Amino acid sequence: MAVIVQKFGGTSVANAEKIRAAAQRAVDAKRRGFDVVVVVSARGHKTDELIDLAHGITKNPRPREMDMLLSTGEQESVALMAMAVHELGEDAISLTGAQIGVLTDTTHTKARIVSISTQRMQELLKAGNIVIAAGFQGVDSSMNITTLGRGGSDTTATALAAVLNAELCEIYTDVEGVFTTDPRVVPSARKVERISYDEMLEMASLGAGVMHSRSIEFAKKYQVQLRVRPAYSDGPGTLIAPESDAANSVVTGVAFVRNEALVTLVGLPDQPGVMSSLFTSLSAARIPVDMVVQNVAREGFANVSFTVAEDELPAAMKVINETARQLNAQNIEQTTGLSKVSVVGHGMQTHTGVAARMFHVLAEAGINIRVVTTSEIKISVLIDRDHCSRAVETVHKGFGLDQPTRPLPDVGYVATDRHAGQGSGSEVVADIVSRLDGMESILVSDVSADKEQSRVTISALPDDPGVAEAVFTAIAEGGVLVDMIIQNAARDGRATISLTVPSGDLDRSILLLREVLERYTGSQLTTDRHIGKLSIAGIGLRSHTDVGRRVFRTLAENRINVQMINTSEIKLSIVISESECDRALKLLRAEFGLAQG
Ligand code: ADP
Ligand code: ASP
Ligand code: MG
């Protein structure tokens, strides 16, 4: 019989009445002929309350005991949900993560799923039960209870849907579906009918809390059909599927992380191995980093900056202090009170001017941009936290996302689709997935190289709103499709912007830029016609810091210097010198077990 997985989030099971309503949905699905598996979260704010309780006892609870404690929230919910189903006249059995056989690794509070046994669930379903599974939890190989990280019930639900080969996985929550941005922050946000796995993965990873980003990794890897729906009405919700809605505009949504921190290692000897050391230590501590920016070295020294979620800063600093010592960094700087705002959408792969538009609306609102990074389908800016909500609202409006039909914004020259056919191909992915040793193991599906790009770096720019806009408007108006963009954290009031353009457009770009730069006395333009861009494609590449570790270790061991880095969940792009490109490509394909082309 066809299996359906229904997941109910905290607010959707907050009290007896809501639990009864959720149970009714499960019973309705069963009576429509489905085998039903229900995944539940802890009730209401239960998880937060348990965390507060623990902190009332100790500032540093041991992670193992935290997991023991937090898992009780979901255990309470499954029992209540089973009782509610019984009351409606159907059989149901509640199971904890351990009872299902959700085997995880041993990283308490951030565990990853290794495998799930389906036997017990299958038997119970066959016997006519609705299976009620506790979300967010598992058990390691020594029978210690583990949890998957905040919001992890979504991941339990998609993982169960994957192993049970479910027809559909429904995520019931407290909003109508996935919106163009958080509707609690921007009331004019609109519901999206359909969003692609890649866009949703990027949105979730960049802060859209409606879905746990790892759940989208599962959905993409195992092709699970996901629908995010309201628990309180019959709204159709949002479909998360392989392809995006053609009606979506150039930008599909705006995501933000309100509490982000910037760490800068100052005065590093400019040699291969810096990125490798950084990613190795952060990967061991399971701390995802974003907005990794390295400036072009001056007098043999380089600065490297990256961002982490502010609540991870203490843990990050612990490992970074040690790494900085090993690397002989002159200083480490930390900046808190920052927010990261990102626009996400497939459209920017083929439209110029998306960056210019974003920088334009922020400049108009007087919001200064501290750091910029991009990937194929997103642009992220780091700004002061005081401006976060206003920036999200401004950018949302600036791309017309508050309008019912979203026309392309004015600045939007359609370029040729040079990315067409570069997708990783679902058969290739399916083949690699079948060979993974754990369900959440890293998936790298391809490593490729592009030698047709050139780098432009503009340094000593004033650190004022409007400068990035001027630079990118000039380039966009010339119809040049910019690929990677990085703006460094300014030092001494001066900022640096690096970008890559197709080599054939380099001369035109230089002309366009020279004109703009006349406005900024002291600014300098340097170019490198001969760069190589390496692209590592896969799923979950940013959250699984281990991919970065392996890439940078491979390059460092072979004395290959990294010039620019862009990360997203589906692609890691790295600029190196063109002369080392073929060698690097070979080494990286070997590192990830990919055939040499
Ligand atoms: P649940 O307890 O059901 O898992 P969450 O609180 O984890 O619910 O997720 C739902 C919330 O996510 C919404 O109430 C909304 O405020 C927030 N959210 C953030 N970004 C978005 C977005 N792009 N679309 C919809 N909701 C969003
Ligand atoms: N109860 C957990 C949390 O609050 C898991 C979840 O709700 O998805 O983070
Ligand atoms: Mg949630």
Side-chain angles (χ1 to χ4, degrees):
M1 224 187 289
V3 175
I4 186 168
V5 175
Q6 298 182 324
K7 179 253 168 179
F8 295 91
T11 25
S12 313
V13 291
N15 55 35
E17 190 194 335
K18 289 186 173 174
I19 292 174
R20 266 197 294 271
Q24 186 67 57
R25 282 196 194 268
V27 166
D28 290 348
K30 169 111 182 95
R31 291 180 182 160
R32 283 203 314 272
F34 282 103
D35 274 347
V36 184
V37 174
V38 176
V39 175
V40 258
S41 293
R43 292 186 309 118
H45 297 290
K46 187 82 193 178
T47 310
D48 292 328
E49 284 164 26
L50 292 169
I51 292 171
D52 286 349
L53 256 179
H55 287 151
I57 302 221
T58 164
K59 269 206 189 99
N60 291 311
R62 292 193 190 174
R64 182 189 182 281
E65 304 312 325
M66 264 329 255
D67 280 353
M68 183 66 97
L69 179 67
L70 296 192
S71 66
T72 62
E74 271 69 14
Q75 192 169 333
E76 181 187 85
S77 300
V78 281
L80 293 168
M81 182 67 77
M83 293 174 197
V85 173
H86 299 159
E87 277 299 292
L88 294 170
E90 292 289 336
D91 283 335
I93 286 203
S94 62
L95 298 173
T96 64
Q99 288 172 329
I100 299 166
V102 177
L103 181 70
T104 72
D105 64 14
T106 58
T107 319
H108 285 291
T109 76
K110 288 183 175 184
R112 294 208 179 115
I113 299 174
V114 175
S115 63
I116 299 175
S117 57
T118 54
Q119 193 189 347
R120 186 163 181 181
M121 284 187 293
Q122 302 276 24
E123 283 169 10
L124 288 168
L125 290 172
K126 209 166 168 197
N129 292 286
I130 292 178
V131 170
I132 319 282
F136 174 59
Q137 55 178 267
V139 67
D140 72 9
S141 54
S142 310
M143 292 302 282
N144 295 301
I145 293 176
T146 53
T147 63
L148 307 180
R150 296 304 306 269
S153 295
D154 298 330
T155 293
T156 306
T158 33
L160 291 185
V163 292
L164 292 167
N165 216 352
E167 191 113 313
L168 182 63
C169 180
E170 295 179 323
I171 306 287
Y172 286 97
T173 184
D174 60 0
V175 278
E176 286 291 322
V178 176
F179 282 66
T180 45
T181 192
D182 189 340
R184 277 192 235 181
V185 174
V186 181
S188 61
R190 308 189 67 89
K191 198 194 74 166
V192 180
E193 296 305 317
R194 195 172 79 192
I195 186 167
S196 71
Y197 291 137
D198 289 350
E199 287 172 328
M200 190 65 233
L201 184 56
E202 211 48 28
M203 289 270 288
S205 159
L206 294 169
V210 64
M211 291 297 290
H212 196 226
S213 81
R214 281 159 54 197
S215 70
I216 314 299
E217 291 179 32
F218 269 106
K220 181 173 178 185
K221 255 182 184 169
Y222 300 94
Q223 300 286 305
V224 176
Q225 254 217 83
L226 271 179
R227 191 172 274 283
V228 181
R229 303 185 64 179
Y232 52 82
S233 76
D234 279 331
T238 298
L239 184 68
I240 306 176
E243 303 294 331
S244 181
D245 193 337
N248 291 358
S249 117
V250 177
V251 162
T252 301
V254 183
F256 58 94
V257 177
R258 199 175 286 278
N259 299 326
E260 192 85 341
L262 179 73
V263 178
T264 305
L265 276 70
V266 182
L268 291 161
D270 182 33
Q271 59 189 33
V274 169
M275 289 301 166
S276 172
S277 306
L278 212 65
F279 273 80
T280 301
S281 51
L282 290 163
S283 162
R286 286 262 168 106
I287 300 171
V289 289
D290 194 22
M291 305 192 87
V292 186
V293 172
Q294 175 178 261
N295 72 352
V296 180
R298 221 179 302 154
E299 288 149 20
F301 289 100
N303 300 332
V304 171
S305 308
F306 59 89
T307 63
V308 292
E310 199 171 286
D311 60 1
E312 302 239 57
L313 184 62
M317 286 314 292
K318 247 192 211 165
V319 293
I320 288 303
N321 277 323
E322 180 50 33
T323 311
R325 229 188 333 270
Q326 283 165 12
L327 291 171
N328 287 320
Q330 289 163 358
N331 198 7
I332 310 179
E333 295 170 358
Q334 312 170 40
T335 316
T336 51
L338 302 172
S339 299
K340 176 172 68 182
V341 177
S342 310
V343 293
V344 175
H346 282 299
M348 63 183 82
Q349 287 176 300
T350 47
H351 290 78
T352 62
V354 177
R357 176 103 201 152
M358 182 171 189
F359 303 153
H360 167 72
V361 295
L362 288 170
E364 237 182 17
I367 299 170
N368 199 20
I369 300 168
R370 286 170 171 262
V371 178
V372 180
T373 54
T374 62
S375 81
E376 278 181 316
I377 61 163
K378 74 106 200 285
I379 300 170
S380 297
V381 298
L382 194 66
I383 57 166
D384 289 343
R385 187 170 307 153
D386 295 347
H387 302 313
C388 182
S389 298
R390 201 159 55 88
V392 172
E393 205 173 330
T394 304
V395 171
H396 187 260
K397 189 154 187 269
F399 282 99
L401 294 174
D402 53 349
Q403 300 301 317
T405 48
R406 302 197 295 271
L408 301 183
D410 289 346
V411 196
Y413 307 88
V414 180
T416 52
D417 188 0
R418 72 195 164 85
H419 291 276
Q422 284 192 7
S424 40
S426 54
E427 311 82 49
V428 180
V429 173
D431 178 49
I432 295 173
V433 167
S434 69
R435 287 186 273 125
L436 293 180
D437 52 358
M439 287 191 78
E440 283 198 77
S441 295
I442 295 170
L443 190 150
V444 170
S445 52
D446 195 23
V447 181
S448 56
D450 176 359
K451 291 192 272 187
E452 304 297 314
Q453 296 270 319
S454 297
R455 175 169 61 80
V456 180
T457 296
I458 313 150
S459 51
L461 283 165
D463 180 26
D464 297 326
V467 175
E469 179 205 351
V471 167
F472 288 96
T473 302
I475 298 224
E477 280 174 356
V480 177
L481 194 60
V482 176
D483 189 5
M484 294 168 73
I485 301 175
I486 282 177
Q487 180 184 321
N488 288 21
R491 306 198 65 76
D492 311 321
R494 296 269 145 185
T496 304
I497 295 175
S498 293
L499 51 121
T500 63
V501 294
S503 296
D505 289 334
L506 179 63
D507 293 331
R508 192 148 46 104
S509 304
I510 294 173
L511 285 180
L512 293 164
L513 284 168
R514 285 239 165 91
E515 212 168 295
V516 185
L517 295 185
E518 277 168 15
R519 271 183 250 169
Y520 307 121
T521 350
S523 62
Q524 287 158 8
L525 182 89
T526 53
T527 58
D528 186 347
R529 197 173 289 273
H530 303 288
I531 59 164
K533 189 185 105 183
L534 298 166
S535 295
I536 296 98
I539 301 174
L541 301 187
R542 190 190 310 114
S543 359
H544 295 245
T545 324
D546 208 41
V547 179
R549 179 186 69 79
R550 286 171 63 182
V551 168
F552 296 119
R553 189 200 54 210
T554 304
L555 297 177
E557 279 174 0
N558 293 282
R559 311 289 302 162
I560 297 170
N561 219 350
V562 173
Q563 299 180 15
M564 278 172 87
I565 299 170
N566 273 180
T567 60
S568 76
E569 291 293 0
I570 53 169
K571 195 160 277 185
L572 181 59
S573 302
I574 297 166
V575 169
I576 59 171
S577 119
E578 190 192 300
S579 59
E580 298 188 300
C581 202
D582 292 339
R583 190 162 66 96
L585 179 64
K586 237 187 207 147
L587 290 162
L588 288 175
R589 291 194 70 90
E591 170 68 23
F592 291 104
L594 300 165
Q596 301 290 347

